[in-house]
Structure formats: structure tokens, C-alpha cells
Amino acid sequence: MGTPQPRHIAIVMDGNGRWASLRGLERHAGHRAGIDSVRLCIEECVRRGIEALTLFAFSSENWQRPGAEVEALMNLFVEALDHELPELQKNAVRLRFIGERQRHSTLLQARIAAAELATASGSGLKLQIALSYGGRWDIVDAARRLALRCVAGELRAQDIDEAMFADALQLAGLPDPDLLIRTGGEQRISNFLLWNLAYAELYFCATLWPQFDRAEFDAALESFAGRQRRFGLTGAQVDAPA
């Protein structure tokens, strides 16, 4: 048997602003620098045959940041989409955005829809970008849509189970993340994929996101490979011969 690796990796890309501040730069310069780390992680997942990668790019709470920073970030998202799309298509990456996209500008919504359409046939890595996303929003949105189906008579409340609820969430159709990586030194989930991270292995590192390189990625996967995934069983049960 080979070294176990996750089917689905989720990443909280933290530390862009601090990276820029340490260098006397505007915060948006850190977000721009972080694009290289995004590209590296996508390339590594493609190379290793990892099924899915979900990146936390902008949270529901991030709308509270200074207007100039938010505007710079949104412009960067548009620019990055235009620039990175050919490489994603070349590598058969299927791109999808999760989150409350109605809050975005008409221009960004159009770019998102076009990028999703252009990569819809991708048979390789499934790449999700969480943009204007919050875990609590995701759960409430799913509950609301299931409730509307009940009101319409399409569904009985007693028939709703975990599988049906999961299918109403933003990551429907994907395996739950096996590994959550968070850079920047903080050790919290920050309202990211609250339902889907129920059994994820958590990996925290102090490295600021623009400095997250291949060695750091390897270290995260090495840590994952050394974990025993029990899912409520005992260690002896997991180790017992099939």
C-alpha cells in the first residue's frame, strides 16, 4: 500500500495582510503575492491525483474590512480568473465557486459564471473557491431550501437525513475534506465548512500564506499520512485485518 493521502484538501489561506505589513506594503500586495501559493497548491494537487481542493478566499465576515481593501481584492479576483483560466483548462481542472455570489459586482458574477462554464467538462481536480462564504450561512441556506420544499409538498420533514442535508450544502457531490490546512499561525476554523469538516484532520502552521511553498505542502501531507483515521472506532478496530 502507498502512503495515504487525502481525497479532498481544504485550505484557510491566512497571513497575506501580515506578510505585506512586515514589508511596509499595502495589504492588497500580500493578496497578490499569495496567488503564487494558490497556483502551487493547485499544481501539486493535480500532480498527486488529489480529487478536490477547496480554498477559503473571502469570508462572509470579510465584507466588514475597509472598503478600499475589499475593492482591491475583488479586482484581483477578476484579474486572476482571466489570467489563470487557460492553465486550469489545460490541466482539466473543474472550477466552481461556493458562497453568496449575489453580493458580488455584476462584472465579477459574470466572470465567475464564464469560468465555471469554461471548465465544466474538466475531468481532473475539482477546485472550489469559497468567496463570500460562511459555514453558518451555508447551513442556514440549506435548511431554508429544504424547508421550502417541505412547504411546497415535495418533501416530508421526517425524510430529511444527513445525506439529504449534505446534498443541499455548497459542497454537494464532493467527499468531505479529509485535511484542513491553515497557515498564518492561528488555530481555528473561522466559520469555514462547519458541516463538512466534522472529521477532517487539522493542520496548522505559522507560515504566512505567500510563503507557503512545496516543502510546507509536503509537511502537511506527511502529517496527514501519520494520523490514524478512526471515525468513532477504536484504534484496535481500525488496525484489525479486513
Side-chain angles (χ1 to χ4, degrees), residues 55-75:
L55 304 174
F56 203 7
F58 190 85
S59 74
S60 303
E61 293 77 21
N62 287 156
W63 289 107
Q64 302 172 62
R65 292 188 173 185
E69 180 179 347
V70 171
E71 183 179 4
L73 266 173
M74 294 304 157
N75 290 336

Side-chain angles (χ1 to χ4, degrees), residues 18-222:
R18 280 173 286 160
W19 180 92
S21 296
L22 287 169
R23 288 157 179 77
L25 303 172
E26 296 291 331
R27 288 176 57 85
H28 65 80
H31 296 295
R32 182 174 295 278
I35 292 176
D36 288 340
S37 298
V38 170
R39 189 181 300 115
L40 179 143
C41 287
I42 294 171
E43 291 172 352
E44 283 299 301
C45 286
V46 169
R47 184 175 70 84
R48 295 167 183 269
I50 289 171
E51 183 175 340
L53 172 65
T54 300
L55 304 174
F56 203 7
F58 190 85
S59 74
S60 303
E61 293 77 21
N62 287 156
W63 289 107
Q64 302 172 62
R65 292 188 173 185
E69 180 179 347
V70 171
E71 183 179 4
L73 266 173
M74 294 304 157
N75 290 336
L76 181 59
F77 291 142
V78 172
E79 179 185 327
L81 271 176
D82 292 343
H83 186 266
E84 302 296 330
L85 189 58
E87 194 66 20
L88 296 178
Q89 291 174 301
K90 176 184 173 183
N91 287 299
V93 174
R94 190 199 74 182
L95 175 64
R96 192 157 60 95
F97 286 79
I98 63 173
E100 196 175 2
R101 64 180 66 188
Q102 291 79 11
R103 295 192 68 174
H104 301 309
S105 69
T106 303
L107 173 62
L108 183 52
Q109 288 187 51
R111 287 292 205 285
I112 285 172
E116 289 180 329
L117 182 62
T119 63
S121 62
S123 58
L125 175 70
K126 296 174 179 65
L127 173 63
Q128 291 64 236
I129 306 294
L131 199 60
S132 189
Y133 175 88
R136 289 178 176 177
W137 167 84
D138 193 1
I139 291 170
V140 169
D141 182 66
R144 183 183 296 117
R145 286 187 286 110
L146 288 172
L148 288 173
R149 290 182 61 193
C150 289
V151 171
E154 301 173 5
L155 184 65
R156 299 186 308 166
Q158 58 266 37
D159 292 333
I160 299 173
D161 57 14
E162 287 191 13
M164 184 181 293
F165 195 87
D167 282 341
L169 293 167
Q170 295 284 293
L171 288 186
L174 292 174
D176 284 339
D178 308 288
L179 172 64
L180 170 70
I181 299 171
R182 179 168 186 152
T183 63
E186 304 292 353
Q187 299 188 15
R188 55 177 177 267
I189 296 174
S190 293
N191 196 23
F192 185 40
L193 302 175
L194 296 181
W195 175 282
N196 307 91
L197 292 177
Y199 273 101
E201 301 296 328
L202 308 182
Y203 179 85
F204 302 108
C205 67
T207 305
L208 302 178
W209 178 246
Q211 296 172 300
F212 190 81
D213 57 16
R214 186 169 285 102
E216 294 282 0
F217 191 84
D218 288 342
L221 266 63
E222 184 178 345

